[in-house]
Amino acid sequence: MSKTKDTPVASHPLPSYLNPDHLGPWGIYLQQVDRVTPYLGSLARWVETLKRPKRILVVDVPIELDNGTIAHYEGYRVQHNLSRGPGKGGVRFHQDVTLSEVMALSAWMSVKNAAVNVPYGGAKGGIRVDPRTLSVGELERLTRRYTSEIGMMIGPSKDIPAPDVNTNGQIMAWMMDTYSMNTGATSTGVVTGKPVDLGGSLGRVEATGRGVYTVGVEAAKLSGLNIQGAKVAVQGFGNVGGTAGKLFAEAGALVVAVQDHTGTIHNAKGMDVAALLEHVAKKGGVGGFAGAEKMENEAFWSVNCDILIPAALEGQINKDNAGKIKAKMVIEGANGPTTPEADDILNDKGVLVLPDVIANAGGVTVSYFEWVQDFSSFFWTEDEINARLVRIMQEAFAGVWAVAQEHKVTLRTATFIVACKRILHAREMRGLYP
Ligand code: NAD
């Protein structure tokens, strides 16, 4: 730790919402930056820039509800760092969204985008709302008003939102239309994750799960784990978990346990994943699937498996369940699924954790392809997109693996080393303005 002495201290006390002692998502991110600082060499001089979002916008989003009353919601857009390019990161609609969470998610986007070397900074947005309580009309009005309120910050070469929890292609279409109406020109490149007919990219829907699978295969090769016959447990069987589960099963792995908001199912011989996906599409969840036994939710964490893929929510692997995990490898499909204490427990047990900031970067990588295709108005085939995605993920993962070996650190710290060096090198070359 002696190397951290070289790190300059902030010239002014941090505002309360940046207080590192408050261990919300932002506090966790600050701890991660502290862990990486000793490895940044002379770039540590610039590390304070990673601890302060560049720009935070908090907006009031009023809409008229269908019953005639006026409701107000709090919305956010945070640009964490723009040293390497325009901001990039999703928009989350959730009743528990906080500024601390959006700040942390925006910072993790800076790290993720630098880790896979796409030319973006990090940003994130959100509205504190439970969208299930709104009608389609109310949701559209909310999305359009929010887009107008953050309109001063976003743009195809400024900051490009995308879907995240509870937002989708339809919401991106409304955002694109609102921005285009406000600026007087159709601007498909202002958001990614759009429907394919509106400038969206083929392969985007499966991209995150495909990236999870790709880094999993690379890590398995490097650590001597055979995918053929490997037992896989997946938490969350939506976009990310469902695609990853399908690709692992197609490669000969056995999906032995799946948990989602409707329950936990188990089949030690491996499930028919195509049939499970069909069941989920019809019934809305894995509960009641005929090809597996029901299991207690808590038992999911101690299930006999080689690979565990958390692909649902934050903080799922914590100090209470990390000790029970039998997997040799954890691939983080979700953002922030492992608490720092759980991370240490897994590391001490010798479990290989492939961190979110590299493992789930497939989504933003194909978002980058979508943005490039929108700019050039020339669209690629799905095979071209998947091949480019796999190449980027493999190269990025190999680089992170080499750094982990060199410094004898976890893959999370190694990803932060690679990414933070890229961000701070760009910062240093650009210099301070004025
Ligand atoms: P999704 O809505 O398609 O699926 C979410 C899944 O989580 C569903 O199966 C749901 O049943 C399950 N779930 C919800 N609450 C649960 C609970 N309490 N216990 C167990 N399971 C529960 O969402 P998604 O797009 O697959 O995203 C999943 C995670 O991956 C999120 O953390 C998201 O931020 C992250 N992520 C997604 C993308 C992307 O491109 N979709 C990219 C990067 C990261």
Side-chain angles (χ1 to χ4, degrees):
M1 293 304 287
S2 60
K3 290 185 192 162
T4 50
K5 277 191 210 145
D6 299 331
T7 311
V9 291
S11 35
H12 296 287
L14 292 164
S16 61
Y17 59 85
L18 296 179
N19 179 356
D21 298 329
H22 169 70
L23 202 66
W26 178 252
I28 291 174
Y29 162 75
L30 291 180
Q31 282 191 354
Q32 293 168 337
V33 174
D34 285 341
R35 279 190 185 190
V36 83
T37 304
Y39 302 97
L40 297 177
S42 63
L43 290 171
R45 175 171 175 250
W46 294 94
V47 81
E48 193 65 24
T49 203
L50 296 173
K51 296 186 174 184
R52 292 168 182 257
K54 177 178 175 63
R55 205 170 271 138
I56 294 174
L57 183 64
V58 181
V59 294
D60 175 36
V61 189
I63 57 162
E64 184 172 353
L65 299 179
D66 294 344
N67 66 12
T69 58
I70 310 296
H72 290 256
Y73 300 93
E74 192 159 281
Y76 315 94
R77 186 74 189 169
V78 177
Q79 292 172 344
H80 171 258
N81 189 285
L82 305 181
S83 296
R84 303 181 67 255
K88 185 91 192 81
V91 174
R92 180 172 292 198
F93 287 181
H94 197 277
Q95 60 277 15
D96 297 332
V97 165
T98 61
L99 180 57
S100 161
E101 182 185 48
V102 178
M103 284 161 53
L105 289 166
S106 72
W108 286 323
M109 285 309 300
S110 299
V111 174
K112 194 181 299 184
N113 293 334
V116 285
N117 213 359
V118 291
Y120 291 133
K124 201 85 182 188
I127 307 181
R128 208 171 153 77
V129 61
D130 179 355
R132 287 168 304 185
T133 63
L134 301 181
S135 68
V136 174
E138 290 166 343
L139 190 60
E140 178 174 354
R141 292 198 286 284
L142 181 81
T143 303
R144 289 186 181 279
R145 180 63 187 246
Y146 168 73
T147 308
S148 283
E149 293 294 341
I150 65 165
M152 65 186 81
M153 257 167 95
I154 61 172
S157 51
K158 287 162 76 177
D159 181 358
I160 306 115
D164 189 65
V165 175
N166 291 333
T167 55
N168 55 25
Q170 173 61 78
I171 287 172
M172 293 307 110
W174 289 328
M175 289 189 78
M176 188 279 271
D177 183 70
T178 305
Y179 180 84
S180 299
M181 289 297 135
N182 286 342
T183 54
T186 294
S187 183
T188 52
V190 66
V191 290
T192 59
K194 299 178 295 295
V196 171
D197 288 344
L198 271 184
S201 178
L202 295 168
R204 174 63 185 90
V205 173
E206 290 202 326
T208 307
R210 192 172 295 280
V212 165
Y213 168 73
T214 303
V215 294
V217 169
E218 293 306 297
K221 274 188 224 153
L222 290 161
S223 58
L225 177 68
N226 193 356
I227 295 293
Q228 187 77 34
K231 295 188 178 67
V232 179
V234 189
Q235 189 202 35
F237 216 62
N239 177 298
V240 179
T243 304
K246 184 184 84 171
L247 293 173
F248 272 107
E250 284 171 4
L254 304 174
V255 175
V256 294
V258 177
Q259 179 177 86
D260 74 359
H261 71 289
T262 64
T264 306
I265 57 171
H266 181 249
N267 180 344
K269 294 195 178 115
M271 300 176 208
D272 177 344
V273 173
L276 179 59
L277 284 167
E278 234 170 80
H279 175 88
V280 171
K282 267 196 216 134
K283 306 279 180 191
V286 301
F289 177 58
E293 307 275 311
K294 190 174 183 315
M295 188 187 221
E296 285 304 310
N297 281 342
E298 218 21 64
F300 174 79
W301 301 107
S302 45
V303 103
N304 187 18
C305 65
D306 302 297
I307 298 174
L308 172 66
I309 306 176
L313 306 169
E314 286 139 33
Q316 293 297 297
I317 304 179
N318 49 50
K319 63 177 180 358
D320 300 327
N321 59 23
K324 299 179 193 165
I325 288 173
K326 299 207 172 72
K328 301 179 182 78
M329 189 194 293
V330 172
I331 317 176
E332 294 185 342
N335 283 312
T338 311
T339 65
E341 294 129 310
D343 220 5
D344 290 341
I345 295 170
L346 293 175
N347 192 32
D348 290 347
K349 275 164 57 117
V351 179
L352 187 64
V353 179
L354 314 190
D356 47 5
V357 277
I358 185 89
N360 71 28
V364 75
T365 302
V366 175
S367 273
Y368 163 58
F369 297 162
E370 177 176 336
W371 181 73
V372 169
Q373 292 171 84
D374 287 339
F375 265 122
S376 58
S377 299
F378 179 75
F379 290 85
W380 313 342
T381 66
E382 191 157 357
D383 284 349
E384 282 172 305
I385 286 157
N386 289 343
R388 286 176 160 142
L389 167 65
V390 167
R391 185 174 53 75
I392 287 184
M393 296 300 294
Q394 285 175 336
E395 281 176 12
F397 187 72
V400 164
W401 185 273
V403 169
Q405 301 291 311
E406 182 191 342
H407 293 293
K408 300 195 173 21
V409 292
T410 64
L411 290 171
R412 193 181 312 280
T413 301
T415 310
F416 268 71
I417 293 174
V418 170
C420 293
K421 278 187 172 173
R422 284 192 180 134
I423 297 166
L424 297 180
H425 184 52
R427 188 77 199 76
E428 185 172 66
M429 284 191 297
R430 288 177 68 155
L432 274 184
Y433 174 86

